[in-house]
Amino acid sequence: MLDVVVVGAGAAGIGVSTILADLGVEDMLILEREKVGTSFKKWPKEMQLITPSFTTNFYGQADLNSIMARSSPAYFLRKEHPTGREYAQYLESLADFCDLPVIEHTNVEKVTFSKGAFSLQINNGKEIRARFVVWAAGEFQYPNMGIFPGAELCLHNSKVKSWKDMQEEEYFIIGGYESGIDAAVNLSRLGKEVHVLDSDSPWGDKTTDPSLSLSPFTMERLEKEMRNGYINLIGNSKIKKVVRTGNEYLIEIQGSSKKHISKTPPILATGFKSSLTLIDDLFDWDDEESYALLNEEDESTKTPGLFLVGPQVRHEGLIFCFIYKYRQRFGVVANAIGKRLGLDVDILDHYRQEGFYLDDLSCCADECDC
């Protein structure tokens, strides 16, 4: 019987584990299906973090992409917008530096809860039992391929190793948020003609919440590439279905008789399914079943002792899908677990000062004045 099992060794899993280890949690394991940072390693080679890394720790402001206090990807990598592979190196270095108990190549297949304890069924038929489970499995490894009829005919952007591998001269991209525009920009740089289809027009939206609108980094690159004339942005285009006829793909739009014809599988940039589908019965869900319901300690409202960290954390209108957002909840989870284990949690005051312990969410919804 372990005290804590953390599922996932990505940014969220490694980040919360460093605080738990600092707190003195000894009977802990971090289970990773592949290797530390694998999801980042699977990004297209050219994809970069859209939030900028900058070494400001010396002045009391943590690097936006840091997942451990007193660390900085900018300092470690000497990059402002690291690629996925580079960021994975940062995660690996933290796991080694903190001597975290990561068990790689361990797939969690089923989680059950009974009589105050969790049973995790892993590969090879083995079982691990724990008092607390921190779910940090993320979502990148679960592409959403059922969003409309014919989506399985498309190429999900997460399956692209490098945009330089794309040999044709014209491509259709379905989805106009971060990953879709990133694909368009990189293909445009290669001289490819690109058509971006989206049910809305996110490239025209403007809000101070980067979870709802394109980041400045993305908009800057898009505007620059638009001057070259290779990118065609097509809004108000909700996909009805994709049909293959011979060597062509017909993209049908809802409410329109017009069909876009692509000679290559359309590139799907419509996001991912949550890894929570593996344990959805251990959570209550909102009315539309779009996010798991959590209490003020990011614990399942249905299953005591099950905590959620990472990009899937939501509190009504607040979306914590960026690293600098969800890392602010690491200390909240650590505090809850530490108190129940009878540990001294005073050390967490330091994490509050560093921006890794935000328990008052009343200030998170304010818009900028200008």
Side-chain angles (χ1 to χ4, degrees):
M1 174 69 73
L2 294 166
D3 283 334
V4 181
V5 167
V6 178
V7 180
I14 295 298
V16 74
S17 296
T18 63
I19 299 184
L20 289 170
D22 205 12
L23 201 58
V25 178
E26 296 181 352
D27 292 331
M28 175 174 67
L29 282 181
I30 306 161
L31 306 181
E32 167 55 44
R33 186 166 73 170
E34 297 185 58
K35 300 186 70 174
V36 173
T38 289
S39 292
F40 289 95
K41 295 175 184 176
K42 289 184 176 181
W43 282 10
K45 186 177 180 180
E46 298 83 3
M47 184 177 280
Q48 301 168 271
L49 270 72
I50 60 177
T51 46
S53 280
F54 207 80
T55 310
T56 54
N57 305 56
F58 192 79
Y59 292 91
Q61 299 291 331
D63 186 320
L64 285 180
N65 294 318
S66 170
I67 50 94
M68 187 184 86
R70 306 178 303 280
S71 76
S72 167
Y75 179 77
F76 179 75
L77 298 169
R78 290 292 191 261
K79 294 289 181 67
E80 183 176 2
H81 293 276
T83 65
R85 290 172 178 81
E86 291 167 339
Y87 194 74
Q89 295 174 15
Y90 164 70
L91 297 180
E92 290 169 337
S93 73
L94 294 186
D96 290 341
F97 179 78
C98 297
D99 196 24
L100 296 179
V102 180
I103 308 299
E104 297 181 326
H105 305 294
T106 303
N107 186 40
V108 175
E109 299 174 348
K110 186 179 181 180
V111 181
T112 56
F113 178 76
S114 178
K115 297 179 180 179
F118 293 89
S119 173
L120 294 90
Q121 304 294 326
I122 61 175
N123 46 309
N124 300 324
K126 296 180 180 179
E127 178 189 20
I128 294 176
R129 291 175 58 79
R131 292 180 61 185
F132 301 102
V133 169
V134 181
W135 194 263
E139 52 191 21
F140 184 80
Q141 299 184 51
Y142 307 91
N144 189 359
M145 299 300 296
I147 195 167
F148 53 77
E152 70 278 1
L153 300 173
C154 303
L155 173 65
H156 198 277
N157 75 300
S158 65
K159 302 300 181 182
V160 176
K161 293 184 178 180
S162 172
W163 296 111
K164 292 181 180 179
D165 296 335
M166 313 296 278
Q167 300 299 315
E168 301 300 325
E169 296 304 313
E170 183 180 27
Y171 290 93
F172 283 82
I173 298 173
I174 299 175
Y177 280 90
E178 295 292 347
S179 59
I181 299 301
D182 182 77
V185 167
N186 281 291
L187 288 169
S188 173
R189 289 173 176 172
L190 295 170
K192 313 293 186 181
E193 186 175 357
V194 186
H195 310 277
V196 182
L197 305 172
D198 195 276
S199 57
D200 298 311
S201 300
W203 44 82
D205 293 341
K206 188 175 182 181
T207 173
T208 56
D209 186 352
S211 300
L212 303 174
S213 63
L214 294 174
S215 68
F217 180 63
T218 298
M219 284 301 303
E220 183 179 13
R221 292 180 297 151
L222 174 62
E223 291 174 0
K224 182 177 180 180
E225 281 303 315
M226 290 289 289
R227 300 170 194 158
N228 294 324
Y230 294 126
I231 298 177
N232 180 26
L233 301 176
I234 308 172
N236 301 315
S237 298
K238 187 173 184 178
I239 307 303
K240 180 179 179 181
K241 62 181 177 179
V242 172
V243 179
R244 183 173 181 176
T245 58
N247 294 324
E248 296 181 334
Y249 299 82
L250 301 182
I251 306 172
E252 298 186 20
I253 308 299
Q254 290 188 16
S256 174
S257 59
K258 183 179 180 180
K259 295 181 177 66
H260 297 282
I261 300 175
S262 176
K263 296 181 180 179
T264 60
I267 297 169
L268 199 60
T270 50
F272 303 84
K273 296 185 296 183
S274 169
S275 64
L276 292 177
T277 54
L278 298 174
I279 55 170
D280 57 359
D281 60 316
L282 298 180
F283 287 92
D284 291 320
W285 295 81
D286 78 305
D287 293 338
E288 297 179 357
E289 296 191 355
S290 58
Y291 62 91
L293 298 180
L294 307 172
N295 65 18
E296 60 184 12
E297 296 175 323
D298 289 357
E299 180 181 21
S300 168
T301 56
K302 182 178 182 180
T303 308
L306 174 60
F307 296 86
L308 179 63
V309 294
Q312 298 161 103
V313 172
R314 285 192 63 172
H315 286 280
E316 296 183 354
L318 300 179
I319 305 172
F320 293 83
C321 64
F322 282 102
I323 291 170
Y324 73 88
K325 288 184 173 185
Y326 63 70
R327 75 179 183 194
Q328 295 183 95
R329 303 294 289 176
F330 291 166
V332 174
V333 172
N335 180 67
I337 293 175
K339 282 185 174 181
R340 296 181 208 182
L341 291 176
L343 301 174
D344 183 358
V345 297
D346 288 345
I347 190 177
L348 294 176
D349 289 339
H350 167 73
Y351 286 96
R352 188 186 297 275
Q353 297 170 12
E354 292 278 342
F356 288 80
Y357 189 163
L358 176 66
D359 54 357
D360 181 5
L361 301 179
S362 63
C363 64
C364 296
D366 292 339
E367 291 280 347
C368 297
D369 290 329
C370 63

